[in-house]
Amino acid sequence: MLLVWFFWQCNVRFAERDERSRDLNVVETDDLTAPEVSDDPYRYFGRLREKDPVHWNPLAEAWILTAHGDVVRLTRSRELFSSAVAVNDARDTYPPIDEGDRHLNDSFRDWLGDLLTEQDRPAHLEMRQAVHRWFTPRAIENWRAEVRAAVRDLLEEMRPRGRMEVKAELAAPLPLMFICRMLGVPESDAPGLRDLADKVASGRTSASDRMGGAVVALRQLQDYFSPLVKERSEKPQGDLVSMLADGERRGVYSRRQVLANVVLLMNAGHNTTLNLICNGVLAFIRAPDQWDLLRGDPDGLCASAVEECLRYEPPVTSLWRISTQDLELGGKLIRAGDRVLWVIASANRDPAAFADPDAFDVTRSPNPHVALGGGIHHCLGAALARLEGQEVFKALAETFPRLHLEGDAVEYLPSAHVRSLSALPVCWN
Amino acid sequence: MNRKTPVVRVDPDVCVGNSMCRATAPNVFVADDNEQSVVADPAADSLEKILEAAANCPVGAIFVEDPDTHEPLFP
């Protein structure tokens, strides 16, 4: 009898697999490390959205969700999905990593497991509340004058040269400068920190050897911040590290979590806005009519222009989650424990939510993009990213009648999770 | 307690369902079917709590007014 039950179970499983594998026909590949995914995620995931918006990808062992309506609803439904992916997902990491790097991957997952972004309620609420008020729109607005002055200084310095590499000379140093000020880190340390943060960020690319550099840099960053955390927990100042240290004093964070999240804040405050600026500048270079519009009214249009940059080329293109209960969606059954990928890049180009979705339109309104996520994990630094983006695009529009790409092509880091240019050389003469 | 009840509004086109308002003033703000916040009863928590909830909104979706003068109390 037991044997019959066993074979019946096997049959059910195989039938399910057959059902899922039929979905393969709708895309050229399920390999999310393929160049076509990094080069044009809008085309790749857009095709999925049209043909199979709840797609089972057997290589990633994950459901790929691409419709705007689904992504919006599910980001807000905290009971349906766990964000504690590193802790709750026993499957192999995808994209695959080198067999010899398993121990490094385990260290990386240990770090991920301590992050605010990987917590569920109830722990998440108190952890977020400990830093939330630093990042409210009103609190961040107080930084505007300082950001504006810093952008002006950077541009004034570069203007006579006639060219800049946007990523290295503007998009990276500016957000890093401000997250360093907020954390209470000396700005002279910023270049070294940037190098390490870039290496940690490489943990989000598709390269199978990505863990080596990422984990070494992670340890170096934690070693760097460790004395600062100790100092601030003994003698609090009005900075972000002191806020986290206060969370530790109240039992909301462990010391290990404080350290992990200081590194998270530094990385998130740096890499995402960096990509917003680079991707936005490139979008404007390719749409001179939109640049002219912005130049005509930089004060009036910089806010909606940033929203459109976020929609059109989102810095974070997808997020992993783990389903916590069986869920029927689009005629498919997502089972509790299944791995799910929410594709922001596709949701933001869904014609069901946006008219003419592949057009870059800085006057678009309303603009219900999901570039900053939604629900309890809505980007903590959203107001800061917006403010920095607004000040950068406003200042660029006021300074340069036209920006041109130097060279014929741009290259994106190989990743299905971030939209990140390797470099962006531009000129204005 | 005799006090004026403010006019409280959540803009559904702006709310992202972050739910920090529900954590701050749980008797005023509740979730609707879309997991967005709506106002259940503006008299159910103190004005201080409501203003704190409005300030905590990460996208500025909450608007608070004086009921008599319609002066904005937040933002």
Side-chain angles (χ1 to χ4, degrees):
Chain A
M1 189 63 201
L2 196 67
L3 211 62
V4 171
W5 179 84
F6 175 77
F7 281 116
W8 181 77
Q9 279 288 313
C10 284
N11 269 331
V12 170
R13 296 259 157 97
F14 283 128
E16 276 177 8
R17 289 230 175 103
D18 281 351
E19 182 66 34
R20 287 170 162 185
S21 61
R22 252 180 253 138
D23 301 342
L24 262 173
N25 301 328
V26 303
V27 275
E28 296 91 339
T29 179
D30 272 316
D31 177 5
L32 297 181
T33 69
E36 65 210 73
V37 179
S38 294
D39 291 347
D40 192 349
Y42 312 107
R43 186 185 168 280
Y44 175 81
F45 290 112
R47 199 176 141 83
L48 270 187
R49 187 187 61 233
E50 280 165 30
K51 306 279 182 189
D52 191 27
V54 183
H55 174 72
W56 174 254
N57 179 320
L59 293 181
E61 298 179 87
W63 295 98
I64 313 295
L65 271 47
T66 43
H68 180 269
D70 289 339
V71 174
V72 168
R73 194 169 63 253
L74 300 182
T75 53
R76 291 176 189 168
S77 306
R78 62 173 182 263
E79 292 85 5
L80 296 178
F81 294 93
S82 169
S83 297
V85 178
V87 173
N88 288 338
D89 189 7
R91 280 158 293 237
D92 282 341
T93 299
Y94 185 85
I97 50 148
D98 292 339
E99 196 54 37
D101 286 352
R102 271 183 182 276
H103 62 294
L104 296 173
N105 193 35
D106 289 344
S107 306
F108 199 73
R109 284 168 74 135
D110 282 347
W111 173 66
L112 290 172
D114 279 334
L115 301 184
L116 178 59
T117 45
E118 292 246 350
Q119 307 303 314
D120 294 325
R121 290 279 175 97
H124 175 264
L125 178 61
E126 276 194 298
M127 285 174 82
R128 173 129 179 175
Q129 278 174 326
V131 285
H132 184 88
R133 73 196 141 85
W134 185 280
F135 292 100
T136 61
R138 184 169 270 191
I140 289 300
E141 194 58 36
N142 293 329
W143 291 83
R144 189 178 291 277
E146 243 180 278
V147 171
R148 183 171 296 171
V151 176
R152 194 188 49 221
D153 290 349
L154 280 169
L155 294 188
E156 278 311 309
E157 190 192 319
M158 288 183 281
R159 188 166 32 180
R161 280 200 260 145
R163 53 156 44 99
M164 69 171 142
E165 203 281 87
V166 177
K167 184 173 182 175
E169 298 185 292
L170 174 65
L174 180 85
L176 186 62
M177 179 192 302
F178 281 91
I179 199 66
C180 281
R181 285 185 197 179
M182 291 179 177
L183 288 168
V185 166
E187 265 159 58
S188 53
D189 290 351
L193 291 173
R194 193 198 148 197
D195 192 43
L196 294 175
D198 282 347
K199 288 189 177 131
V200 175
S202 70
R204 303 270 286 165
T205 65
S206 302
S208 63
D209 61 356
R210 63 189 181 276
M211 280 306 150
V215 171
V216 171
L218 197 54
R219 287 185 189 139
Q220 287 177 296
L221 279 170
Q222 289 181 329
D223 288 346
Y224 171 85
F225 281 113
S226 191
L228 181 71
V229 169
K230 187 170 179 290
E231 197 183 305
R232 292 297 191 273
S233 61
E234 285 157 10
K235 207 173 155 208
Q237 313 263 331
D239 56 35
L240 256 175
V241 173
S242 301
M243 257 178 144
L244 281 163
D246 181 59
E248 183 190 340
R249 219 171 2 261
R250 291 183 291 111
V252 175
Y253 286 83
S254 66
R255 175 61 58 93
R256 208 179 92 152
Q257 286 174 326
V258 170
L259 264 176
N261 283 286
V262 169
V263 174
L264 169 73
L265 288 171
M266 208 204 70
N267 276 22
H270 158 54
N271 261 306
T272 50
T273 311
L274 179 167
N275 292 328
L276 162 63
I277 294 169
C278 286
N279 296 349
V281 168
L282 183 60
F284 275 115
I285 287 173
R286 287 175 171 166
D289 60 319
Q290 298 299 306
W291 187 242
D292 291 340
L293 265 178
L294 179 63
R295 282 181 54 75
D297 184 11
D299 281 312
L301 282 178
C302 70
S304 66
V306 166
E307 298 311 306
E308 182 64 349
C309 292
L310 286 166
R311 182 195 74 87
Y312 190 72
E313 289 274 19
V316 176
T317 50
S318 68
L319 294 167
W320 290 117
R321 289 293 187 267
I322 304 296
S323 172
T324 55
Q325 48 189 279
D326 288 1
L327 171 71
E328 210 185 311
L329 194 69
K332 311 284 180 76
L333 179 65
I334 298 176
R335 289 195 181 279
D338 277 359
R339 183 148 69 179
V340 175
L341 189 70
W342 293 338
V343 185
I344 292 166
S346 152
N348 281 3
R349 301 280 190 110
D350 190 339
F354 303 96
D356 204 1
D358 293 322
F360 178 63
D361 173 5
V362 296
T363 64
R364 190 181 289 277
S365 174
N367 192 343
H369 65 77
V370 284
L372 301 164
I376 62 170
H377 289 284
H378 177 264
C379 174
L380 178 68
L384 176 60
R386 285 180 159 128
L387 186 145
E388 289 174 337
Q390 289 160 10
E391 290 304 321
V392 164
F393 289 112
K394 194 165 89 74
L396 285 171
E398 285 166 349
T399 311
F400 303 114
R402 200 55 99 223
L403 290 169
H404 308 276
L405 186 62
E406 281 199 319
D408 301 325
V410 292
E411 235 179 63
Y412 289 93
L413 297 182
S415 173
H417 305 301
V418 290
R419 185 72 167 152
S420 186
L421 287 160
S422 308
L424 184 58
V426 305
C427 59
W428 46 85
N429 286 332
Chain B
M1 193 176 81
N2 190 16
R3 69 167 175 96
K4 288 191 294 186
T5 301
V7 178
V8 187
R9 191 169 62 83
V10 180
D11 186 339
D13 291 335
V14 179
C15 175
V16 293
N18 188 243
S19 83
M20 211 43 101
C21 59
R22 287 175 244 157
T24 311
N27 302 305
V28 172
F29 300 98
V30 297
D32 69 4
D33 293 342
N34 295 321
E35 291 291 333
Q36 288 180 299
S37 291
V38 289
V39 176
D41 175 6
D45 285 306
S46 69
L47 179 62
E48 288 67 30
K49 280 286 165 207
I50 293 170
L51 292 176
E52 190 188 333
N56 271 340
C57 178
V59 290
I62 301 173
F63 300 84
V64 188
E65 270 178 21
D66 183 288
D68 302 326
T69 64
H70 295 287
E71 285 287 309
L73 301 173
F74 193 95

